[in-house]
Amino acid sequence: MRNNTIRRLVCLALLLALVCGTAAAADFSFRNGVAWSTTADQMLSAEGAAAGDGSYNEKLYNGYRFFYLKAQNVYYVYRGEQLLQAYAVLPMDAYAAELERQTALLGAPAGAEAEAVEALWNSLYPGGLTPGAAADTVTWRLSDGTLAALFITGGKTCVSYFNEQQIVSGE
């Protein structure tokens, strides 16, 4: 009797984990192996960019360094040497394929958290996303605390990774 009860509890726990959407098993890794510990110089090297080659723009704004890799439509946001956000802007019709790709990579979505995505985005780029601007938002919580998000804004698909703990702590 006791073994049956334990088995049922284990099965129930597994079922709840699947239904409730636990954190994805993956840690953050973006293009070319860029991770949260990757410095700006290391990121540029990994992306094949070099100072003065015209392949990227760098802008200081609101205390952050924004890098835009022109040919890839990819962005990186740093505070000092700490990577806080990495994202790519894709055509609007890429949403379904990207949702499928991200789900295969990260597992079942954690749920729609458009307000959290907008708040994180706006903490880096104030006014960048007005309330409700992140449509069709789907998010994943990675095991390392990363918030991964897929959404549509301004007629484009955006896939974004936030180093949430570092953004919120301001360190």
Side-chain angles (χ1 to χ4, degrees), residues 3 15 17 27-28 41 50 55 58 66 72 79-80 82 97-98 103 113 117 120 125 128 130-131 145 148-149 156:
N3 285 341
L15 180 62
D27 283 347
F28 168 75
D41 287 341
S55 65
E58 180 180 355
F66 291 79
Q72 294 89 0
R79 180 177 46 239
Q82 177 65 61
E98 191 62 25
T103 301
E113 299 178 23
V117 170
L120 287 167
Y125 194 82
T130 58
K156 302 280 184 181

Side-chain angles (χ1 to χ4, degrees), residues 72-94:
Q72 294 89 0
N73 221 12
V74 169
Y75 299 79
Y76 293 94
V77 182
Y78 281 83
R79 180 177 46 239
E81 287 299 321
Q82 177 65 61
L83 179 59
L84 301 176
Q85 181 188 22
Y87 65 99
V89 178
L90 310 169
M92 186 160 164
D93 64 357

Side-chain angles (χ1 to χ4, degrees), residues 75-155:
Y75 299 79
Y76 293 94
V77 182
Y78 281 83
R79 180 177 46 239
E81 287 299 321
Q82 177 65 61
L83 179 59
L84 301 176
Q85 181 188 22
Y87 65 99
V89 178
L90 310 169
M92 186 160 164
D93 64 357
Y95 182 88
E98 191 62 25
L99 176 59
E100 186 176 313
R101 188 179 86 73
Q102 292 292 333
T103 301
L105 182 67
L106 303 175
E113 299 178 23
E115 295 81 14
V117 170
E118 291 166 357
L120 287 167
W121 192 285
N122 288 330
S123 69
L124 301 171
Y125 194 82
L129 286 177
T130 58
D136 298 319
T137 300
V138 180
T139 61
W140 295 264
R141 294 254 177 219
L142 282 58
S143 59
D144 65 357
T146 299
L147 177 65
L150 175 68
F151 57 95
I152 296 173
T153 188

